[in-house]
Structure formats: structure tokens, C-alpha cells
Amino acid sequence: MPVLEVVGVSKTFGSGELAVQALKPATFSVEAGELVALLGPSGSGKSTLLLSISLILEPTAGRIVINGQTVYDNGWTGVDERAFRRKNIGFIFQQHNLIPFLTAQENVALALQLNGVGRREAARRAKELLGYLEIAHRADSLPANLSGGEQQRVAIGRALANEPPLILADEPTAALDTERGTKVMALLRKIARERRSAVITVTHDHRMIEGFDTVYHLDDGHLSRMAEAESSAA
Amino acid sequence: MDLAFKDIRRHLGKFVATIAGVAMLLAIVLVMNGIYQGNIADGVWLIENTATDLWVVERGRGGPFNEPSRLPADAYKSVAATPGVAQASPYVIYTAQRAIGGSDKQFTIVGYDVFGGLGGPGRIVRGRAIEAPHYEMVADAKLGVALGERVPLGERVYTVVGLTRGAVDSAGNPLVYLSLPDAQEVQYEQDKRALVAARAANLQRLERAGYTPEQAAKLLPLLAAPTNTINAVLVRLAPGADTEAVRSQIADWLYFNVYTADEERALMLEGRLRRMSAVLALFRALLVIVSIVIIALIVYVLTIEKIKSIATLKLIGAPNFVIVRLILEQSLALTFASFALAYALRELIAPRFPRTLAFLPEETAATFLVMLVGGVVASFMAIWHALRTPPQLALGG
């Protein structure tokens, strides 16, 4: 069973003559342990698709199934979107978005505590996760005292904390240099393989697409697999 | 996880500065509470500490505190003869300002019948009551005189034989008790040259009216202003006497105004103290509003500063109560800490304050409650903004 099924999902902003179809009907699925890249220039519809999968932006039509639960079927199905996100989706951001007044360990533990894990258990698991991400020695540092790469590792730790089946990464390497970006991508691959999470990475950086299991390309709201896109371009 | 206090820890400097600022404003509010109640306590102190059932004053006057009242010196005898009156005593009260101990002091002189009459000092903390008919005084410690000190008032020198504590007039000035004739002498004492000039002027006036110098000299004492008037008669009722009947008797037959102690108190509160109380109440309200506005702005600014963190919290699934709690706790922490510091400042200021400060625990509690509710209301704007923040704000660069 795929972790994510997107069937004919489209999004149109406005109506009548002013209507703009930001996302044309898109269909794809992501399996557990699969690392997927979503490539495309600015304004191609990447964010619209990401927000729709995140249960933040309501699509116009289609169906979205996450971890076997239909969350959208030509309308929201009534799931508590925040509770659903807490349990099923991990987010990794371009600017890391760590809570600046929490230490690295507290940032990771926060995600666990929001999901009902007790304070001590959350701290223990956060420390363990930071160890897995090879950053346990910076557990007590505030984000401002961490390098960009270290901050991104902590952010990845927070995304993994609740062991969500789906991880959405929004330009996770954009704020990093090539070396650090490559390391982060290697880490995401490791996570997908070892933790059996489906990882969708939105990027416009073609340098980083090596090692992805599947690459989708979005152009003017049209989603296609990379091989198809390349052939149609040819 | 207590996000609010972790954020405070990070912005400690800003928080401490805000708390210090708001605390100073609140300390002023608390001290003003004390001034307000002190104003009332001072205003009614003399009324509440004069053991009398009725105050008899000049007809048509609201005296003797709110406006001048003059009665003939022997008026108390007529009052004493009224059925139902157990005791009636003459009473003199006026404000004076004289140089005492090298500096000008304002005080109120109370003249009373020192031989068993009503209106004398209540509790004497040091020394004794006045026992001699002349030249002894009982003063409040606030006047700054010592027991046994000799204080010149006009032509005479008075010995301090007793000290009271907290005996003040409605303006907070200390009371000085003298025997009735001494108080009258000090009140009407005139400069010798002024007396000579007045006497000469009166003589000329009589001579111009056609009197011979001999006749004028004989008539002269009649033109002199009376110097033995009193300001009120204090009445103690006989056991079982009907207050209303006694009052009517005195008012109808002796043609005086009569007030019970409660009415005298009400006259003071509604008259002299009302405007000042209203001004103090207005200032207190304004300062509380300013304090709440400052807290609101600080909480709002702190919320705006972490709006991306709030969006991130929403995106990773934090329920609204986590965000509301974060803002509300900071607002309440500001309010609590500011009030605690303000209270400490008040305790520091109070003993050194030049006026009487009277603090009512229920008023302090009410101020705290107003601030607490204000602190909660102050956070509404920030909460509203935070709850409207879209989670997608966390995405993108």
C-alpha cells in the first residue's frame, strides 16, 4: 500500500474569466522507503501541490490518501488536519524553522510532546534521535549557536520524531552550500531506506536529484515523471 | 513544554526592562490607592476620634470642618440645658502656620475644655493630657516636637506635655491641642501695632460720627471684634435620649445646625474630599489603562517577533491552545512580575511618604484583579494575530 496516493488532484484559483489553474490534474503515488523529488521552477505549482498534501490548501478536485486514510475526496473528509499532520507528516523547511528559544534537543522533543509523549520520554527519544543524526553533542545548543548544516539536522530530527510515514521537505538544501547540501540529501536517503519513510523533496536544484528513486517535474501546473518530461522536451 | 518561559529566558533583558517600567507605573497606582484611602482616613480622623454624639454649629453652615462656623462662647450652656443632653462642651478648631523648630509648620489647633470637656486628644502615646488651664499643649508627633519642648505661639510659650500619633486634620496636618482660652488667644492674637492702629481708626470713626473723644473712648470696646467665640459645641447624649428629638430641640429653639457624627463624616466625604478623591480615581484609572496598554504592546511585539515560529508550530500540528497558552502565559508573567515588583516598591516608598498612606487589602486585591484581567485582555490582540497566521508562512525562504 503506498504511503501517499494523489489521484487527479488539481487546484484552480479564482473563477470565471479570472480563473487560474495552478495545478493541473496530477496523479502519482509514493511508497514507503521511496525518495521522491519534485522539481520545477518558481510558479510551476510545487508549493500548491505541497500545501495540498500538507492539508493546508484545499484542492479543487481529486483525491488524496495518506497512510491509507482518505483526507481529501473532492472535499476534505473531516480529518483534524493538525492532529493528522502531527502523526503522519514530518516537515523539513528551507530555513530550518527551528524554534529559536528552544535548544536542539527541546526542538525535537517538542514534536513528541505535541503528540502526547511525556516530558522525560520525549527528552530521551530526542537525545537518541540526535545521536542517530550524529549531532547529540549539540543537544543543549540554541539554534543561533548551530551551523546551517547542524540546524538542518536538528530540523530533520524534529520531522522524524513521531516516526511519520510521510516526510515533506521544502527546498531542504537551498540554504546550504553544495557540500552540506549533499550531506543532507544523503541523510534523507538514509532515512528513507532505514526508517521506511516516504520522503518527498521539493527542489529546483538539479544538482541534488542524484540518488532519488523517482523524480517528478512540474511545469506550468503540469506534473510529469522526469523521464517523460525529458523525452517530451526532446 | 513551557514555551512561554523558555521564550522569556531568551528575551530576559527585554522582559526585565518591561517589568521594571510597568512596575513603576503600578507602584504609582498602589501609592495613589494609599493616598486615596489616606485622604479619607485623614479627612474623617478627627470626626471619628472625637467622642461626641452631636456636632452643633452655626445656623446654615456645614461646619466646623467644611466651612467656618462661629458661635457665641456661651452657646454650649444653652445646649447643655436642652433635655436629653448629658454634656455639652465648647470646641475651637482652626488651621495655623507658624515657625516651629526653625521651619514653617502648618497644623490645626484644637481648643477644648481641658477640665473634663469633650473634644480632647484621644490616645496619648507619650506624656499626659493637658492639666493646667494655660500654656500646655498636646501635639502630634508629626509636628516634630519633643516631649517637654517649649513652643512659642504668638506672645506665649507652650510646653509640650503629651504626644499623640496619627492625629491629623483633613489635609494630613498634625493636630495641636490647647486649652480653650489658649486656643482663642492664639487665634485672635494681633500684632500690638495693628491693635493700636485699629483702635485709632475706630476712635476717628466715632468722632466723625459726632461723639466726643470721651464718649468715643467709652464706646471703643463695643467695636472690637469678639475674641472668645467658639466654632462648635460637642454634645454627648444622655442614655436613652432620642437623637432626633434632641436635634430638633437644639435646631428649633437655639437656632443652630446639628449634625450627628455620621452626618459630619458624610459632609466631609461629599464635600471637601470628593473632588480630590475623584481626581485620584481618575489618575489611578488612567495609570492602570496605560500599564495594560504597555503590556498589550509588549506581548504583541513579542508575538510578532516569533510569528514564523508560531506558523511552524501550526504546521507541525500544534493545537491552538499551545499557541494561546504561549501568549497568555507571557502576558500573565508580565502582569504578575510587574505587580510583585510594584508591591515591593510601594512597601519601600510608604514609610518615607510625606502624607498618610492607608492601604486596604481588598483595594490592593482589586487592583491586582483589574491588572490580571487587563493582562488577559491585553493578550487578545496578539492571540488574534497568532491564530490568524497561516501555517504556510513557515514554508519558503
Side-chain angles (χ1 to χ4, degrees), chain A residues 9-50:
Chain A
V9 170
S10 64
K11 176 67 184 176
T12 302
F13 291 102
S15 59
E17 288 181 6
L18 297 172
V20 175
Q21 194 169 31
L23 183 65
K24 297 186 172 72
T27 299
F28 70 103
S29 64
V30 186
E31 299 289 334
E34 187 179 358
L35 185 60
V36 172
L38 210 55
L39 269 176
S42 288
S44 62
K46 297 193 305 283
S47 295
T48 303
L49 183 55
L50 192 74

Side-chain angles (χ1 to χ4, degrees), chain A:
Chain A
M1 183 183 71
V3 171
L4 172 68
E5 272 185 275
V6 174
V7 184
V9 170
S10 64
K11 176 67 184 176
T12 302
F13 291 102
S15 59
E17 288 181 6
L18 297 172
V20 175
Q21 194 169 31
L23 183 65
K24 297 186 172 72
T27 299
F28 70 103
S29 64
V30 186
E31 299 289 334
E34 187 179 358
L35 185 60
V36 172
L38 210 55
L39 269 176
S42 288
S44 62
K46 297 193 305 283
S47 295
T48 303
L49 183 55
L50 192 74
L51 290 172
S52 298
I53 298 168
S54 308
L55 284 74
I56 291 170
L57 185 69
E58 185 172 6
T60 307
R63 184 160 59 91
I64 300 171
V65 181
I66 299 173
N67 203 25
Q69 188 170 351
T70 303
V71 294
Y72 181 83
D73 193 356
N74 290 312
W76 295 123
T77 57
V79 292
D80 177 346
E81 38 113 0
R82 288 203 209 171
F84 188 84
R85 278 204 298 270
R86 272 202 303 272
K87 289 187 174 68
N88 295 285
I89 307 174
F91 288 93
I92 300 167
F93 307 95
Q94 181 180 334
Q95 296 294 336
H96 327 309
N97 287 18
L98 296 175
I99 308 296
F101 48 87
L102 300 181
T103 64
Q105 185 175 326
E106 287 168 344
N107 262 285
V108 178
L110 173 66
L112 289 159
Q113 284 187 254
L114 287 176
N115 221 14
V117 178
R119 193 166 57 88
R120 283 189 185 171
E121 176 62 9
R124 188 191 65 73
R125 279 160 64 178
K127 188 94 183 208
E128 197 177 280
L129 206 48
L130 290 175
Y132 172 75
L133 296 165
E134 298 173 359
I135 199 173
H137 61 292
R138 305 307 304 272
D140 296 326
S141 301
L142 288 169
N145 299 326
L146 299 173
S147 70
E150 287 172 330
Q151 286 188 42
Q152 196 58 296
R153 280 167 186 264
V154 176
I156 291 170
R158 181 176 64 188
L160 294 178
N162 291 309
E163 299 177 357
L166 178 63
I167 291 173
L168 300 177
D170 180 30
E171 307 266 10
T173 59
L176 304 174
D177 57 37
T178 308
E179 188 190 343
R180 288 198 176 93
T182 308
K183 282 184 178 171
V184 165
M185 289 315 301
L187 186 58
L188 289 177
R189 269 192 292 278
K190 182 182 166 192
I191 287 162
R193 299 289 180 266
E194 291 180 4
R195 298 194 160 235
R196 302 297 298 159
S197 296
V199 180
I200 299 176
T201 301
V202 171
T203 181
H204 64 268
D205 190 351
H206 283 74
R207 295 172 305 163
M208 297 294 169
I209 61 171
E210 276 180 33
F212 278 94
D213 300 314
T214 315
V215 178
Y216 289 99
H217 190 264
L218 260 163
D219 192 12
D220 201 20
H222 178 72
L223 181 80
S224 55
R225 283 183 79 120
M226 193 60 174
E228 294 167 18
E230 279 170 351
S231 62
S232 63

Side-chain angles (χ1 to χ4, degrees), chain B residues 70-73 184 187-188 190 221-230:
Chain B
R70 280 195 176 187
L71 301 174
Q184 288 169 325
Q187 184 176 21
Y188 294 109
Q190 280 184 297
L222 297 176
L223 291 180
T227 57
N228 61 346
T229 56
I230 58 174

